């Protein structure tokens, strides 16, 4: 039917404009009783944040279903499983690539596309730049049947590719509105740093302007600096400590955050102290699932047959009431006494995602997370930890750092592991010609 793409830098209000246009469309094309808006994104973290924003009083309320692309694809394949079998497409749950491919093939059937449009006449896609190959094919199959509104920024594609497939597709089939005014912040240091990273020019460090690059030779030195920043910034609101590396994979990041959590920095002249400040790392859905699986003590054999009563009792003992209730329903409503380990793990995943959805809006005073987890979020203050051993090429490093810095509304500090005092004169900070 139609596609509209909002494209712009971080903080230009792409998601806000997406919602505004959705509301305008619905004002003249109201939903029927059985209809909803379908909101899609690629990653579960983005989906949780999207659900929090889209389902709130300033969003679309209860008239929106927020799903990941593979979640929507799986629902479609399950609903049209008979047709999928005829088309020789019977993917297993968890085989995301095959599921998306099967859903894309289904949407090539006009009847399937029209069926989707009757339930979801409007589709919103946030973080479109993250989509690839089969996901783009799936969106392409939806596009002729619905009102399609998307938001994207190709520079926030963390793969490092300058040729973004999803944006190229959207440019080819729809109308593009470029957003140029940054609304998230008016802090000159943050704006200049973001502009420099996008344009491969020198990144200027000046604490007075709101953005500073601070090289340290060892993690404890960085920990002390972090403690003093937390001490002076905590009155402004939530502080995010952002790392480009996954939790536990960088010795520098691990040692620095542990130092901040357990040590105290003391000023020599005044005797004033900063810290310790316990830091909570944000787990991924996978980490959270594995933690619950370990607590329940499930076997590694996915085909193992388990007694519902035994697993329910264990879930009760660890305080997992939602898992216990599900198992009791299987036992007393459906009459099942035995269940496979794979089914339990699958349900734990669903329950963990629901839990995290309900708490994603909760504000914490400080939190540590990865760049990928921080995408599409905002914090008053940001401290970026930049370890020595970065495997990515300079282009991907720029995009990672850009995504981290642009999460800040008020101020940002980048602590760079620099044992030889030579990193901040490299291409990442000094820029390079195109």
């Amino acid at each position: 039917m139609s596609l509209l793409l909002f494209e712009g830098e971080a903080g230009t209000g792409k998601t806000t404009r997406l919602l505004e246009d959705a509301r305008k469309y619905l004002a003249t094309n109201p939903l029927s009783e059985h209809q909803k808006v379908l909101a899609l994104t690629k990653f579960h973290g983005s989906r949780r944040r999207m659900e929090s924003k889209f389902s709130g009083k300033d969003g679309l309320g209860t008239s929106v279903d927020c799903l990941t692309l593979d979640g929507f694809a799986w629902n479609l394949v399950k609903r049209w499983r008979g047709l999928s079998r005829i088309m020789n497409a019977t993917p297993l749950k968890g085989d995301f690539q095959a599921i998306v491919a099967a859903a894309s093939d289904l949407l090539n059937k006009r009847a399937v596309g029209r069926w989707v449009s009757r339930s979801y006449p409007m589709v919103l896609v946030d973080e479109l730049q993250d989509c690839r190959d089969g996901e783009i094919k799936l969106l392409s199959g939806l596009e002729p049947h619905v009102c399609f509104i998307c938001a994207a920024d190709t520079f926030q594609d963390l793969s490092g590719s300058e040729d973004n497939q999803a944006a190229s597709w959207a440019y080819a089939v729809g109308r593009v509105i470029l957003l140029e005014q940054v609304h998230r912040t008016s802090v000159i240091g943050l704006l200049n740093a973001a502009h420099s990273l996008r344009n491969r020019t020198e990144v200027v460090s000046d604490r007075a302007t709101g953005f500073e690059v601070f090289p340290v030779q060892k993690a404890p030195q960085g920990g002390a600096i972090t403690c003093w920043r937390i001490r002076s910034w905590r009155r402004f609101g939530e502080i995010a400590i952002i790392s480009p590396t996954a939790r536990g994979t960088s010795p520098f990041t691990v040692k620095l955050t542990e130092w901040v959590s357990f040590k105290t920095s003391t000023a020599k002249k005044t005797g004033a102290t900063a810290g310790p400040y316990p830091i909570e790392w944000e787990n991924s859905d996978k980490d959270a699932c594995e933690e619950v699986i370990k607590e329940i003590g499930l076997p590694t054999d996915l085909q193992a047959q388990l007694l519902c009563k035994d697993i329910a009792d264990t879930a009760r003992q660890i305080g997992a009431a939602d898992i216990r209730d599900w198992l009791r329903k299987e036992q007393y409503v459906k009459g099942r006494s035995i269940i496979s380990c794979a089914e339990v793990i699958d349900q734990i995943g669903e329950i963990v995602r629901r839990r995290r959805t309900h708490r994603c809006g909760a504000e914490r005073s400080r939190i540590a997370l990865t760049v990928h987890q921080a995408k599409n979020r905002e914090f008053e203050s940001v401290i970026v930890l930049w370890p020595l051993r970065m495997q990515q090429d300079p282009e991907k490093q720029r995009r990672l750092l850009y995504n981290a810095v642009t999460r800040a509304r008020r101020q940002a500090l980048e602590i760079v592991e620099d044992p030889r005092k030579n990193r901040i004169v490299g291409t990442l900070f000094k820029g390079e010609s195109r």
Side-chain angles (χ1 to χ4, degrees):
M1 291 175 65
S2 61
L3 184 147
L4 176 62
L5 171 65
F6 291 106
E7 185 177 12
E9 300 180 17
T12 52
K14 297 182 292 298
T15 304
T16 300
R17 285 294 304 272
L18 185 150
L19 277 172
E20 287 177 355
D21 268 59
R23 284 194 290 264
K24 287 179 183 178
Y25 178 85
L26 295 175
T28 55
N29 300 273
L31 298 172
S32 301
E33 184 178 350
H34 68 283
Q35 291 180 325
K36 286 190 174 185
V37 174
L38 176 62
L40 297 173
T41 190
K42 181 169 181 175
F43 300 112
H44 278 293
S46 299
R47 179 195 60 79
R48 290 196 303 273
R49 295 185 288 276
M50 184 171 66
E51 186 163 53
S52 177
K53 189 165 187 176
F54 286 19
S55 301
K57 63 179 181 179
D58 296 325
L60 301 174
T62 59
S63 61
V64 59
D65 283 342
C66 298
L67 302 172
T68 58
L69 280 160
D70 53 55
F72 166 71
W74 178 243
N75 290 343
L76 193 65
V77 169
K78 285 196 300 181
R79 172 60 180 80
W80 292 86
R81 54 187 175 274
L83 180 57
S84 293
R85 283 195 293 268
I86 294 173
M87 297 170 64
N88 296 316
T90 54
L92 297 175
K93 188 169 186 180
D95 187 350
F96 301 124
Q97 187 174 353
I99 290 169
V100 171
S104 301
D105 291 340
L106 284 170
L107 285 169
N108 284 329
K109 303 291 184 180
R110 188 167 180 268
V112 178
R114 288 175 60 83
W115 175 82
V116 173
S117 69
R118 289 191 181 102
S119 297
Y120 299 115
M122 168 177 279
V123 175
L124 310 179
V125 182
D126 206 6
E127 304 284 347
L128 177 68
Q129 74 278 347
D130 293 328
C131 298
R132 298 283 183 278
D133 302 322
E135 295 151 351
I136 299 171
K137 185 179 177 183
L138 185 148
L139 296 176
S140 180
L142 276 175
E143 185 270 331
H145 305 286
V146 300
C147 174
F148 219 110
I149 309 179
C150 310
D153 176 13
T154 56
F155 196 72
Q156 292 188 65
D157 173 10
L158 296 182
S159 71
S161 173
E162 295 191 25
D163 181 20
N164 186 270
Q165 293 177 312
S168 297
W169 166 72
Y171 266 77
V173 301
R175 183 166 62 96
V176 179
I177 295 179
L178 296 176
L179 305 178
E180 299 178 347
Q181 179 64 44
V182 175
H183 302 286
R184 179 171 296 156
T185 183
S186 59
V187 177
I188 190 65
L190 296 175
L191 295 173
N192 288 343
H195 182 269
S196 297
L197 289 166
R198 290 185 77 101
N199 292 278
R200 302 176 177 85
T201 57
E202 182 175 0
V203 178
V204 177
S205 170
D206 184 353
R207 184 178 179 183
T209 66
F211 176 73
E212 182 182 12
V213 178
F214 202 110
V216 298
Q217 291 182 281
K218 295 182 179 180
Q221 182 185 0
I225 295 298
T226 301
C227 280
W228 287 107
R229 289 295 190 277
I230 291 175
R231 185 178 189 266
S232 62
W233 288 356
R234 58 184 176 177
R235 68 183 186 275
F236 298 122
E238 191 173 18
I239 299 172
I241 299 173
I242 302 178
S243 170
T245 57
R247 179 183 181 182
T249 60
S250 165
F252 174 75
T253 301
V254 170
K255 292 176 182 177
L256 190 151
T257 51
E258 287 181 350
W259 201 99
V260 174
S261 296
F262 300 105
K263 301 287 186 178
T264 300
S265 180
T266 304
K268 292 181 179 179
K269 291 184 178 180
T270 64
T273 61
Y277 298 111
I279 295 172
E280 178 185 355
W281 274 91
E282 182 168 284
N283 285 338
S284 65
D285 285 351
K286 181 180 178 182
D287 292 335
C289 288
E290 289 178 350
E291 186 176 326
V292 175
I293 290 168
K294 184 178 180 181
E295 287 181 342
I296 292 178
L298 294 179
T300 56
D301 181 7
L302 297 181
Q303 301 306 316
Q305 300 298 301
L306 311 171
L307 291 173
C308 288
K309 181 180 183 303
D310 291 348
I311 304 301
D313 287 344
T314 304
R316 177 183 58 80
Q317 291 169 12
I318 67 171
D322 37 13
I323 298 173
R324 177 206 61 194
D325 292 345
W326 169 74
L327 284 161
R328 284 183 172 177
K329 181 179 179 182
E330 295 295 308
Q331 187 177 2
Y332 296 116
V333 177
K334 298 184 179 180
R336 301 179 68 185
S337 60
I338 296 176
I339 195 165
S340 73
C341 181
E343 287 181 272
V344 177
I345 291 175
D346 184 59
Q347 188 62 31
I348 287 173
E350 294 294 329
I351 289 172
V352 164
R353 283 189 283 274
R354 286 200 297 270
R355 286 179 186 173
R356 291 164 66 85
T357 294
H358 292 312
R359 65 170 292 204
C360 70
E363 188 172 295
R364 287 157 283 183
S365 60
R366 53 190 170 273
I367 186 171
L369 66 170
T370 66
V371 172
H372 288 78
Q373 290 172 321
K375 285 190 70 176
N376 204 28
R377 295 165 74 171
E378 299 178 12
F379 307 93
E380 288 301 319
S381 308
V382 165
I383 299 173
V384 185
L385 307 183
W386 205 257
L388 178 62
R389 293 180 177 83
M390 292 289 294
Q391 302 298 321
Q392 294 84 2
D393 60 35
E395 176 63 21
K396 188 168 183 179
Q397 288 191 45
R398 272 190 290 271
R399 293 175 183 230
L400 286 165
L401 182 54
Y402 174 84
N403 272 271
V405 171
T406 54
R407 300 309 97 205
R409 287 190 288 257
R410 183 181 294 270
Q411 59 234 331
L413 164 70
E414 182 185 7
I415 298 178
V416 182
E417 184 183 13
D418 192 9
R420 296 183 180 179
K421 300 183 179 181
N422 61 359
R423 291 194 74 198
I424 61 172
V425 297
T427 57
L428 176 62
F429 302 103
K430 293 299 181 183
E432 62 180 24
S433 61
R434 292 178 184 274

